[in-house]
Amino acid sequence: MIFESVCVLGLGYIGLPTASTFATNGLRVVGVDVNPQIIASLQNGELHIYEPGLRDVVQAAMQSGNLVIRSQVEPADAFIIAVPTPFHADKSADMRYVVSAAEMILPQLRRGNLVVLESTSPPRTTLDLLRPILERSGLTAGQDFLLAYTPERVLPGQILRELVENTRIIGGLNPASAEAGRDLYRTFVRGEILLTDATTAEMVKLMENTTCDVNIA
């Protein structure tokens, strides 16, 4: 599957490097955030986060014309949700940002599009939360549009290198969705890309985070 444009929702530590890396590899990218201060700073050439090398990549992406910063979702071949998923007081995941991002995509969703969730999420989020929202468009996931989950697996301070070099796991709603995700991320990923189903990919992310927490402890 060939992708020419991508819309990235959430311009934090994952979304901004991802959007910029896609742009410097030739895709037309719309970076979307709902924080007006983030929008203003990026449009003025300033970064709201620090990551070694990121300023140069963002500037190159914007100067090339491939990366534009917006407050609203625009049409694209693929949509990537990279918004925060904080915790409630009872330690359950707060999925409000994911819901909001999905609802922002709805008016722009078209046949043949790919939607990818990157935010750390409980297993079955892609199937039980994201899919029903997107299907309010009247389109059927896995048939009219493709839907996948891929966890970010990078460490602060090494994000730009690890985005490219690390193995990436892509879980699809169906095999066609996983394959489309592979085709999109192969734009810049040089590491191995492993395909599975969405729920397995979500579980892999949680187990990887658990392993890191135990090792740190």
Side-chain angles (χ1 to χ4, degrees):
M1 191 169 179
I2 298 175
F3 295 91
E4 296 181 351
S5 60
V6 59
C7 182
V8 179
L9 290 80
L11 298 177
Y13 277 97
I14 300 303
L16 184 58
T18 299
S20 303
T21 302
F22 272 120
T24 55
N25 280 273
L27 269 64
R28 300 191 307 273
V29 182
V30 176
V32 177
D33 205 283
V34 297
N35 186 325
Q37 294 180 326
I38 291 177
I39 297 295
S41 64
L42 289 173
Q43 290 178 338
N44 290 327
E46 299 296 327
L47 267 64
H48 57 290
I49 56 178
Y50 175 74
E51 174 67 26
L54 181 59
R55 179 179 297 276
D56 292 339
V57 176
V58 173
Q59 290 178 345
M62 297 186 71
Q63 289 170 3
S64 72
N66 283 340
L67 174 62
V68 296
I69 307 299
R70 298 286 187 264
S71 60
Q72 296 293 327
V73 171
E74 297 185 3
D77 297 330
F79 300 90
I80 296 175
I81 299 174
V83 297
T85 48
F87 291 104
H88 290 295
D90 64 357
K91 305 301 182 182
S92 62
D94 183 348
M95 305 305 292
R96 287 177 295 175
Y97 299 115
V98 171
V99 170
S100 177
E103 291 175 340
M104 290 178 69
I105 292 171
L106 264 179
Q108 305 297 344
L109 190 62
R110 302 291 182 267
R111 291 182 184 275
N113 283 167
L114 168 67
V115 179
V116 181
L117 176 62
E118 280 206 26
S119 306
T120 302
S121 303
R124 295 194 63 86
T125 294
T126 304
L127 276 65
D128 296 343
L129 178 66
L130 190 56
R131 177 173 61 177
I133 295 173
L134 296 174
E135 287 187 338
R136 281 160 36 193
S137 63
L139 302 176
T140 301
Q143 178 178 324
D144 299 319
F145 68 93
L146 303 170
L147 181 60
Y149 178 85
T150 181
E152 53 84 10
R153 305 180 60 248
V154 296
L155 294 175
Q158 302 291 330
I159 291 177
L160 293 174
R161 179 182 64 81
E162 292 191 344
L163 272 178
V164 174
E165 297 180 2
N166 281 4
T167 297
R168 183 170 285 267
I169 299 164
I170 299 177
L173 177 70
N174 57 5
S177 295
E179 291 163 5
R182 175 196 60 201
D183 295 343
L184 174 63
Y185 283 91
R186 188 53 80 190
T187 302
F188 64 80
V189 171
R190 301 295 172 258
E192 187 177 4
I193 297 179
L194 304 177
L195 304 186
T196 184
D197 62 88
T199 302
T200 298
E202 291 163 343
M203 191 65 189
V204 165
K205 172 60 175 175
L206 293 188
M207 293 309 299
E208 185 167 30
N209 281 9
T210 300
T211 301
C212 288
D213 288 346
V214 171
N215 288 339
I216 292 170

PDB file of all heavy atoms in Angstrom, residues 87-122:
ATOM      1  N   PHE A  87      -3.360   8.339  34.008  1.00  0.00           N
ATOM      2  CA  PHE A  87      -4.120   7.453  34.892  1.00  0.00           C
ATOM      3  C   PHE A  87      -5.146   8.238  35.697  1.00  0.00           C
ATOM      4  O   PHE A  87      -4.927   9.382  36.063  1.00  0.00           O
ATOM      5  CB  PHE A  87      -3.184   6.733  35.870  1.00  0.00           C
ATOM      6  CG  PHE A  87      -2.294   5.719  35.233  1.00  0.00           C
ATOM      7  CD1 PHE A  87      -0.953   5.988  35.018  1.00  0.00           C
ATOM      8  CD2 PHE A  87      -2.792   4.484  34.842  1.00  0.00           C
ATOM      9  CE1 PHE A  87      -0.124   5.059  34.428  1.00  0.00           C
ATOM     10  CE2 PHE A  87      -1.978   3.541  34.256  1.00  0.00           C
ATOM     11  CZ  PHE A  87      -0.635   3.825  34.048  1.00  0.00           C
ATOM     12  N   HIS A  88      -6.265   7.562  35.986  1.00  0.00           N
ATOM     13  CA  HIS A  88      -7.205   8.075  36.969  1.00  0.00           C
ATOM     14  C   HIS A  88      -6.650   7.774  38.373  1.00  0.00           C
ATOM     15  O   HIS A  88      -5.651   7.058  38.520  1.00  0.00           O
ATOM     16  CB  HIS A  88      -8.569   7.398  36.810  1.00  0.00           C
ATOM     17  CG  HIS A  88      -9.299   7.799  35.560  1.00  0.00           C
ATOM     18  ND1 HIS A  88      -9.748   9.082  35.328  1.00  0.00           N
ATOM     19  CD2 HIS A  88      -9.669   7.066  34.474  1.00  0.00           C
ATOM     20  CE1 HIS A  88     -10.358   9.135  34.168  1.00  0.00           C
ATOM     21  NE2 HIS A  88     -10.326   7.931  33.615  1.00  0.00           N
ATOM     22  N   ALA A  89      -7.323   8.287  39.390  1.00  0.00           N
ATOM     23  CA  ALA A  89      -6.887   8.058  40.762  1.00  0.00           C
ATOM     24  C   ALA A  89      -6.878   6.577  41.127  1.00  0.00           C
ATOM     25  O   ALA A  89      -6.076   6.129  41.947  1.00  0.00           O
ATOM     26  CB  ALA A  89      -7.788   8.825  41.727  1.00  0.00           C
ATOM     27  N   ASP A  90      -7.756   5.796  40.503  1.00  0.00           N
ATOM     28  CA  ASP A  90      -7.813   4.359  40.805  1.00  0.00           C
ATOM     29  C   ASP A  90      -6.850   3.536  39.954  1.00  0.00           C
ATOM     30  O   ASP A  90      -6.942   2.309  39.916  1.00  0.00           O
ATOM     31  CB  ASP A  90      -9.240   3.834  40.640  1.00  0.00           C
ATOM     32  CG  ASP A  90      -9.731   3.933  39.191  1.00  0.00           C
ATOM     33  OD1 ASP A  90      -8.980   4.454  38.336  1.00  0.00           O
ATOM     34  OD2 ASP A  90     -10.867   3.489  38.928  1.00  0.00           O
ATOM     35  N   LYS A  91      -5.960   4.230  39.219  1.00  0.00           N
ATOM     36  CA  LYS A  91      -4.925   3.611  38.380  1.00  0.00           C
ATOM     37  C   LYS A  91      -5.451   3.072  37.050  1.00  0.00           C
ATOM     38  O   LYS A  91      -4.708   2.462  36.291  1.00  0.00           O
ATOM     39  CB  LYS A  91      -4.179   2.491  39.128  1.00  0.00           C
ATOM     40  CG  LYS A  91      -3.565   2.908  40.454  1.00  0.00           C
ATOM     41  CD  LYS A  91      -2.560   4.039  40.280  1.00  0.00           C
ATOM     42  CE  LYS A  91      -1.922   4.427  41.600  1.00  0.00           C
ATOM     43  NZ  LYS A  91      -0.986   5.563  41.458  1.00  0.00           N
ATOM     44  N   SER A  92      -6.725   3.278  36.759  1.00  0.00           N
ATOM     45  CA  SER A  92      -7.243   2.890  35.450  1.00  0.00           C
ATOM     46  C   SER A  92      -6.828   3.936  34.419  1.00  0.00           C
ATOM     47  O   SER A  92      -6.553   5.093  34.747  1.00  0.00           O
ATOM     48  CB  SER A  92      -8.772   2.772  35.480  1.00  0.00           C
ATOM     49  OG  SER A  92      -9.367   4.021  35.799  1.00  0.00           O
ATOM     50  N   ALA A  93      -6.756   3.524  33.168  1.00  0.00           N
ATOM     51  CA  ALA A  93      -6.293   4.420  32.110  1.00  0.00           C
ATOM     52  C   ALA A  93      -7.353   5.464  31.769  1.00  0.00           C
ATOM     53  O   ALA A  93      -8.540   5.156  31.646  1.00  0.00           O
ATOM     54  CB  ALA A  93      -5.937   3.613  30.875  1.00  0.00           C
ATOM     55  N   ASP A  94      -6.914   6.687  31.616  1.00  0.00           N
ATOM     56  CA  ASP A  94      -7.781   7.781  31.206  1.00  0.00           C
ATOM     57  C   ASP A  94      -7.727   7.870  29.680  1.00  0.00           C
ATOM     58  O   ASP A  94      -6.733   8.317  29.108  1.00  0.00           O
ATOM     59  CB  ASP A  94      -7.298   9.082  31.838  1.00  0.00           C
ATOM     60  CG  ASP A  94      -8.195  10.270  31.509  1.00  0.00           C
ATOM     61  OD1 ASP A  94      -9.050  10.137  30.615  1.00  0.00           O
ATOM     62  OD2 ASP A  94      -8.024  11.332  32.134  1.00  0.00           O
ATOM     63  N   MET A  95      -8.785   7.442  29.015  1.00  0.00           N
ATOM     64  CA  MET A  95      -8.792   7.350  27.557  1.00  0.00           C
ATOM     65  C   MET A  95      -9.484   8.537  26.889  1.00  0.00           C
ATOM     66  O   MET A  95      -9.782   8.492  25.688  1.00  0.00           O
ATOM     67  CB  MET A  95      -9.475   6.044  27.129  1.00  0.00           C
ATOM     68  CG  MET A  95      -8.872   4.795  27.742  1.00  0.00           C
ATOM     69  SD  MET A  95      -7.087   4.654  27.442  1.00  0.00           S
ATOM     70  CE  MET A  95      -7.089   4.376  25.672  1.00  0.00           C
ATOM     71  N   ARG A  96      -9.702   9.606  27.630  1.00  0.00           N
ATOM     72  CA  ARG A  96     -10.422  10.748  27.068  1.00  0.00           C
ATOM     73  C   ARG A  96      -9.718  11.354  25.867  1.00  0.00           C
ATOM     74  O   ARG A  96     -10.374  11.779  24.899  1.00  0.00           O
ATOM     75  CB  ARG A  96     -10.631  11.822  28.135  1.00  0.00           C
ATOM     76  CG  ARG A  96     -11.689  11.466  29.179  1.00  0.00           C
ATOM     77  CD  ARG A  96     -11.792  12.544  30.238  1.00  0.00           C
ATOM     78  NE  ARG A  96     -10.560  12.636  31.014  1.00  0.00           N
ATOM     79  CZ  ARG A  96     -10.338  13.567  31.950  1.00  0.00           C
ATOM     80  NH1 ARG A  96     -11.272  14.470  32.202  1.00  0.00           N
ATOM     81  NH2 ARG A  96      -9.214  13.578  32.622  1.00  0.00           N
ATOM     82  N   TYR A  97      -8.389  11.404  25.901  1.00  0.00           N
ATOM     83  CA  TYR A  97      -7.651  12.001  24.786  1.00  0.00           C
ATOM     84  C   TYR A  97      -7.735  11.130  23.533  1.00  0.00           C
ATOM     85  O   TYR A  97      -7.798  11.639  22.413  1.00  0.00           O
ATOM     86  CB  TYR A  97      -6.196  12.246  25.176  1.00  0.00           C
ATOM     87  CG  TYR A  97      -6.025  13.205  26.333  1.00  0.00           C
ATOM     88  CD1 TYR A  97      -5.484  12.780  27.547  1.00  0.00           C
ATOM     89  CD2 TYR A  97      -6.424  14.538  26.225  1.00  0.00           C
ATOM     90  CE1 TYR A  97      -5.343  13.650  28.616  1.00  0.00           C
ATOM     91  CE2 TYR A  97      -6.274  15.417  27.286  1.00  0.00           C
ATOM     92  CZ  TYR A  97      -5.732  14.969  28.479  1.00  0.00           C
ATOM     93  OH  TYR A  97      -5.593  15.833  29.537  1.00  0.00           O
ATOM     94  N   VAL A  98      -7.733   9.817  23.724  1.00  0.00           N
ATOM     95  CA  VAL A  98      -7.875   8.910  22.584  1.00  0.00           C
ATOM     96  C   VAL A  98      -9.272   9.068  21.971  1.00  0.00           C
ATOM     97  O   VAL A  98      -9.421   9.132  20.746  1.00  0.00           O
ATOM     98  CB  VAL A  98      -7.636   7.447  23.011  1.00  0.00           C
ATOM     99  CG1 VAL A  98      -8.004   6.483  21.883  1.00  0.00           C
ATOM    100  CG2 VAL A  98      -6.168   7.254  23.411  1.00  0.00           C
ATOM    101  N   VAL A  99     -10.280   9.126  22.813  1.00  0.00           N
ATOM    102  CA  VAL A  99     -11.651   9.319  22.328  1.00  0.00           C
ATOM    103  C   VAL A  99     -11.768  10.625  21.558  1.00  0.00           C
ATOM    104  O   VAL A  99     -12.343  10.687  20.462  1.00  0.00           O
ATOM    105  CB  VAL A  99     -12.646   9.293  23.504  1.00  0.00           C
ATOM    106  CG1 VAL A  99     -14.037   9.737  23.047  1.00  0.00           C
ATOM    107  CG2 VAL A  99     -12.709   7.901  24.118  1.00  0.00           C
ATOM    108  N   SER A 100     -11.205  11.694  22.124  1.00  0.00           N
ATOM    109  CA  SER A 100     -11.270  13.000  21.465  1.00  0.00           C
ATOM    110  C   SER A 100     -10.567  12.975  20.113  1.00  0.00           C
ATOM    111  O   SER A 100     -11.068  13.535  19.129  1.00  0.00           O
ATOM    112  CB  SER A 100     -10.642  14.062  22.376  1.00  0.00           C
ATOM    113  OG  SER A 100     -10.634  15.328  21.751  1.00  0.00           O
ATOM    114  N   ALA A 101      -9.400  12.319  20.057  1.00  0.00           N
ATOM    115  CA  ALA A 101      -8.656  12.240  18.800  1.00  0.00           C
ATOM    116  C   ALA A 101      -9.448  11.476  17.749  1.00  0.00           C
ATOM    117  O   ALA A 101      -9.522  11.877  16.582  1.00  0.00           O
ATOM    118  CB  ALA A 101      -7.304  11.577  19.032  1.00  0.00           C
ATOM    119  N   ALA A 102     -10.055  10.360  18.154  1.00  0.00           N
ATOM    120  CA  ALA A 102     -10.852   9.571  17.213  1.00  0.00           C
ATOM    121  C   ALA A 102     -12.022  10.387  16.677  1.00  0.00           C
ATOM    122  O   ALA A 102     -12.342  10.327  15.481  1.00  0.00           O
ATOM    123  CB  ALA A 102     -11.350   8.303  17.891  1.00  0.00           C
ATOM    124  N   GLU A 103     -12.648  11.159  17.546  1.00  0.00           N
ATOM    125  CA  GLU A 103     -13.780  11.974  17.115  1.00  0.00           C
ATOM    126  C   GLU A 103     -13.340  13.106  16.184  1.00  0.00           C
ATOM    127  O   GLU A 103     -14.099  13.535  15.307  1.00  0.00           O
ATOM    128  CB  GLU A 103     -14.513  12.526  18.334  1.00  0.00           C
ATOM    129  CG  GLU A 103     -15.247  11.424  19.109  1.00  0.00           C
ATOM    130  CD  GLU A 103     -15.898  11.909  20.386  1.00  0.00           C
ATOM    131  OE1 GLU A 103     -15.471  12.988  20.887  1.00  0.00           O
ATOM    132  OE2 GLU A 103     -16.818  11.230  20.896  1.00  0.00           O
ATOM    133  N   MET A 104     -12.104  13.573  16.331  1.00  0.00           N
ATOM    134  CA  MET A 104     -11.572  14.586  15.416  1.00  0.00           C
ATOM    135  C   MET A 104     -11.323  13.999  14.027  1.00  0.00           C
ATOM    136  O   MET A 104     -11.440  14.696  13.014  1.00  0.00           O
ATOM    137  CB  MET A 104     -10.274  15.179  15.982  1.00  0.00           C
ATOM    138  CG  MET A 104     -10.454  16.061  17.199  1.00  0.00           C
ATOM    139  SD  MET A 104      -8.880  16.681  17.846  1.00  0.00           S
ATOM    140  CE  MET A 104      -8.397  17.820  16.534  1.00  0.00           C
ATOM    141  N   ILE A 105     -10.982  12.719  13.987  1.00  0.00           N
ATOM    142  CA  ILE A 105     -10.717  12.058  12.698  1.00  0.00           C
ATOM    143  C   ILE A 105     -12.005  11.815  11.924  1.00  0.00           C
ATOM    144  O   ILE A 105     -12.022  11.861  10.679  1.00  0.00           O
ATOM    145  CB  ILE A 105      -9.970  10.728  12.927  1.00  0.00           C
ATOM    146  CG1 ILE A 105      -8.553  10.996  13.445  1.00  0.00           C
ATOM    147  CG2 ILE A 105      -9.911   9.890  11.647  1.00  0.00           C
ATOM    148  CD1 ILE A 105      -7.834   9.730  13.911  1.00  0.00           C
ATOM    149  N   LEU A 106     -13.093  11.563  12.635  1.00  0.00           N
ATOM    150  CA  LEU A 106     -14.361  11.148  12.025  1.00  0.00           C
ATOM    151  C   LEU A 106     -14.759  11.943  10.777  1.00  0.00           C
ATOM    152  O   LEU A 106     -15.071  11.347   9.736  1.00  0.00           O
ATOM    153  CB  LEU A 106     -15.491  11.229  13.055  1.00  0.00           C
ATOM    154  CG  LEU A 106     -15.857   9.953  13.797  1.00  0.00           C
ATOM    155  CD1 LEU A 106     -16.980  10.229  14.790  1.00  0.00           C
ATOM    156  CD2 LEU A 106     -16.286   8.863  12.824  1.00  0.00           C
ATOM    157  N   PRO A 107     -14.776  13.283  10.821  1.00  0.00           N
ATOM    158  CA  PRO A 107     -15.244  14.023   9.640  1.00  0.00           C
ATOM    159  C   PRO A 107     -14.341  13.862   8.417  1.00  0.00           C
ATOM    160  O   PRO A 107     -14.778  14.129   7.291  1.00  0.00           O
ATOM    161  CB  PRO A 107     -15.243  15.484  10.123  1.00  0.00           C
ATOM    162  CG  PRO A 107     -15.271  15.408  11.616  1.00  0.00           C
ATOM    163  CD  PRO A 107     -14.494  14.187  11.954  1.00  0.00           C
ATOM    164  N   GLN A 108     -13.085  13.446   8.634  1.00  0.00           N
ATOM    165  CA  GLN A 108     -12.129  13.340   7.533  1.00  0.00           C
ATOM    166  C   GLN A 108     -11.888  11.901   7.079  1.00  0.00           C
ATOM    167  O   GLN A 108     -11.151  11.673   6.126  1.00  0.00           O
ATOM    168  CB  GLN A 108     -10.791  13.966   7.949  1.00  0.00           C
ATOM    169  CG  GLN A 108     -10.877  15.394   8.446  1.00  0.00           C
ATOM    170  CD  GLN A 108     -11.371  16.359   7.378  1.00  0.00           C
ATOM    171  OE1 GLN A 108     -11.389  16.049   6.196  1.00  0.00           O
ATOM    172  NE2 GLN A 108     -11.791  17.551   7.796  1.00  0.00           N
ATOM    173  N   LEU A 109     -12.498  10.933   7.754  1.00  0.00           N
ATOM    174  CA  LEU A 109     -12.237   9.531   7.438  1.00  0.00           C
ATOM    175  C   LEU A 109     -12.868   9.161   6.098  1.00  0.00           C
ATOM    176  O   LEU A 109     -14.044   9.412   5.861  1.00  0.00           O
ATOM    177  CB  LEU A 109     -12.793   8.642   8.552  1.00  0.00           C
ATOM    178  CG  LEU A 109     -12.414   7.161   8.506  1.00  0.00           C
ATOM    179  CD1 LEU A 109     -10.903   6.978   8.643  1.00  0.00           C
ATOM    180  CD2 LEU A 109     -13.141   6.386   9.609  1.00  0.00           C
ATOM    181  N   ARG A 110     -12.076   8.532   5.233  1.00  0.00           N
ATOM    182  CA  ARG A 110     -12.518   8.143   3.900  1.00  0.00           C
ATOM    183  C   ARG A 110     -12.196   6.681   3.631  1.00  0.00           C
ATOM    184  O   ARG A 110     -11.340   6.092   4.296  1.00  0.00           O
ATOM    185  CB  ARG A 110     -11.837   9.028   2.841  1.00  0.00           C
ATOM    186  CG  ARG A 110     -12.087  10.516   2.997  1.00  0.00           C
ATOM    187  CD  ARG A 110     -13.537  10.902   2.697  1.00  0.00           C
ATOM    188  NE  ARG A 110     -13.751  12.344   2.802  1.00  0.00           N
ATOM    189  CZ  ARG A 110     -14.166  12.979   3.881  1.00  0.00           C
ATOM    190  NH1 ARG A 110     -14.399  12.280   4.997  1.00  0.00           N
ATOM    191  NH2 ARG A 110     -14.343  14.283   3.889  1.00  0.00           N
ATOM    192  N   ARG A 111     -12.846   6.126   2.638  1.00  0.00           N
ATOM    193  CA  ARG A 111     -12.552   4.749   2.233  1.00  0.00           C
ATOM    194  C   ARG A 111     -11.082   4.627   1.853  1.00  0.00           C
ATOM    195  O   ARG A 111     -10.536   5.482   1.164  1.00  0.00           O
ATOM    196  CB  ARG A 111     -13.423   4.342   1.038  1.00  0.00           C
ATOM    197  CG  ARG A 111     -14.890   4.205   1.375  1.00  0.00           C
ATOM    198  CD  ARG A 111     -15.693   3.746   0.163  1.00  0.00           C
ATOM    199  NE  ARG A 111     -17.121   3.695   0.458  1.00  0.00           N
ATOM    200  CZ  ARG A 111     -17.718   2.652   1.020  1.00  0.00           C
ATOM    201  NH1 ARG A 111     -17.007   1.560   1.308  1.00  0.00           N
ATOM    202  NH2 ARG A 111     -19.011   2.677   1.276  1.00  0.00           N
ATOM    203  N   GLY A 112     -10.459   3.547   2.297  1.00  0.00           N
ATOM    204  CA  GLY A 112      -9.063   3.305   1.982  1.00  0.00           C
ATOM    205  C   GLY A 112      -8.077   3.885   2.971  1.00  0.00           C
ATOM    206  O   GLY A 112      -6.879   3.616   2.886  1.00  0.00           O
ATOM    207  N   ASN A 113      -8.563   4.695   3.929  1.00  0.00           N
ATOM    208  CA  ASN A 113      -7.670   5.278   4.936  1.00  0.00           C
ATOM    209  C   ASN A 113      -7.175   4.212   5.914  1.00  0.00           C
ATOM    210  O   ASN A 113      -7.797   3.162   6.086  1.00  0.00           O
ATOM    211  CB  ASN A 113      -8.390   6.361   5.736  1.00  0.00           C
ATOM    212  CG  ASN A 113      -8.538   7.676   4.995  1.00  0.00           C
ATOM    213  OD1 ASN A 113      -9.301   8.541   5.418  1.00  0.00           O
ATOM    214  ND2 ASN A 113      -7.837   7.863   3.887  1.00  0.00           N
ATOM    215  N   LEU A 114      -6.063   4.528   6.554  1.00  0.00           N
ATOM    216  CA  LEU A 114      -5.520   3.729   7.651  1.00  0.00           C
ATOM    217  C   LEU A 114      -5.513   4.592   8.903  1.00  0.00           C
ATOM    218  O   LEU A 114      -5.065   5.740   8.866  1.00  0.00           O
ATOM    219  CB  LEU A 114      -4.096   3.267   7.333  1.00  0.00           C
ATOM    220  CG  LEU A 114      -3.288   2.664   8.490  1.00  0.00           C
ATOM    221  CD1 LEU A 114      -3.893   1.341   8.935  1.00  0.00           C
ATOM    222  CD2 LEU A 114      -1.820   2.486   8.088  1.00  0.00           C
ATOM    223  N   VAL A 115      -5.999   4.043  10.011  1.00  0.00           N
ATOM    224  CA  VAL A 115      -5.925   4.715  11.311  1.00  0.00           C
ATOM    225  C   VAL A 115      -5.065   3.858  12.229  1.00  0.00           C
ATOM    226  O   VAL A 115      -5.305   2.654  12.361  1.00  0.00           O
ATOM    227  CB  VAL A 115      -7.317   4.922  11.932  1.00  0.00           C
ATOM    228  CG1 VAL A 115      -7.191   5.614  13.295  1.00  0.00           C
ATOM    229  CG2 VAL A 115      -8.210   5.737  11.003  1.00  0.00           C
ATOM    230  N   VAL A 116      -4.062   4.475  12.853  1.00  0.00           N
ATOM    231  CA  VAL A 116      -3.132   3.767  13.735  1.00  0.00           C
ATOM    232  C   VAL A 116      -3.145   4.409  15.113  1.00  0.00           C
ATOM    233  O   VAL A 116      -2.994   5.628  15.243  1.00  0.00           O
ATOM    234  CB  VAL A 116      -1.693   3.798  13.182  1.00  0.00           C
ATOM    235  CG1 VAL A 116      -0.753   3.040  14.118  1.00  0.00           C
ATOM    236  CG2 VAL A 116      -1.639   3.203  11.783  1.00  0.00           C
ATOM    237  N   LEU A 117      -3.314   3.596  16.140  1.00  0.00           N
ATOM    238  CA  LEU A 117      -3.205   4.060  17.527  1.00  0.00           C
ATOM    239  C   LEU A 117      -1.812   3.722  18.039  1.00  0.00           C
ATOM    240  O   LEU A 117      -1.384   2.577  17.951  1.00  0.00           O
ATOM    241  CB  LEU A 117      -4.268   3.392  18.390  1.00  0.00           C
ATOM    242  CG  LEU A 117      -4.241   3.699  19.886  1.00  0.00           C
ATOM    243  CD1 LEU A 117      -4.461   5.186  20.143  1.00  0.00           C
ATOM    244  CD2 LEU A 117      -5.283   2.874  20.633  1.00  0.00           C
ATOM    245  N   GLU A 118      -1.097   4.739  18.552  1.00  0.00           N
ATOM    246  CA  GLU A 118       0.220   4.516  19.152  1.00  0.00           C
ATOM    247  C   GLU A 118       0.197   4.682  20.664  1.00  0.00           C
ATOM    248  O   GLU A 118       1.099   4.220  21.351  1.00  0.00           O
ATOM    249  CB  GLU A 118       1.260   5.467  18.547  1.00  0.00           C
ATOM    250  CG  GLU A 118       1.795   5.046  17.203  1.00  0.00           C
ATOM    251  CD  GLU A 118       3.199   5.584  16.928  1.00  0.00           C
ATOM    252  OE1 GLU A 118       3.936   5.851  17.906  1.00  0.00           O
ATOM    253  OE2 GLU A 118       3.543   5.735  15.754  1.00  0.00           O
ATOM    254  N   SER A 119      -0.799   5.356  21.184  1.00  0.00           N
ATOM    255  CA  SER A 119      -0.854   5.637  22.618  1.00  0.00           C
ATOM    256  C   SER A 119      -0.906   4.339  23.426  1.00  0.00           C
ATOM    257  O   SER A 119      -1.598   3.389  23.055  1.00  0.00           O
ATOM    258  CB  SER A 119      -2.102   6.464  22.937  1.00  0.00           C
ATOM    259  OG  SER A 119      -2.160   7.635  22.150  1.00  0.00           O
ATOM    260  N   THR A 120      -0.177   4.312  24.540  1.00  0.00           N
ATOM    261  CA  THR A 120      -0.212   3.148  25.432  1.00  0.00           C
ATOM    262  C   THR A 120      -1.636   2.944  25.931  1.00  0.00           C
ATOM    263  O   THR A 120      -2.235   3.849  26.518  1.00  0.00           O
ATOM    264  CB  THR A 120       0.737   3.357  26.620  1.00  0.00           C
ATOM    265  OG1 THR A 120       2.060   3.572  26.120  1.00  0.00           O
ATOM    266  CG2 THR A 120       0.732   2.141  27.536  1.00  0.00           C
ATOM    267  N   SER A 121      -2.192   1.756  25.689  1.00  0.00           N
ATOM    268  CA  SER A 121      -3.612   1.523  25.943  1.00  0.00           C
ATOM    269  C   SER A 121      -3.863   0.124  26.490  1.00  0.00           C
ATOM    270  O   SER A 121      -3.114  -0.808  26.178  1.00  0.00           O
ATOM    271  CB  SER A 121      -4.411   1.693  24.639  1.00  0.00           C
ATOM    272  OG  SER A 121      -4.199   2.967  24.068  1.00  0.00           O
ATOM    273  N   PRO A 122      -4.927  -0.051  27.269  1.00  0.00           N
ATOM    274  CA  PRO A 122      -5.287  -1.393  27.745  1.00  0.00           C
ATOM    275  C   PRO A 122      -5.633  -2.308  26.572  1.00  0.00           C
ATOM    276  O   PRO A 122      -6.116  -1.842  25.534  1.00  0.00           O
ATOM    277  CB  PRO A 122      -6.526  -1.143  28.613  1.00  0.00           C
ATOM    278  CG  PRO A 122      -6.464   0.308  28.972  1.00  0.00           C
ATOM    279  CD  PRO A 122      -5.820   0.990  27.812  1.00  0.00           C
TER     280      PRO A 122
END
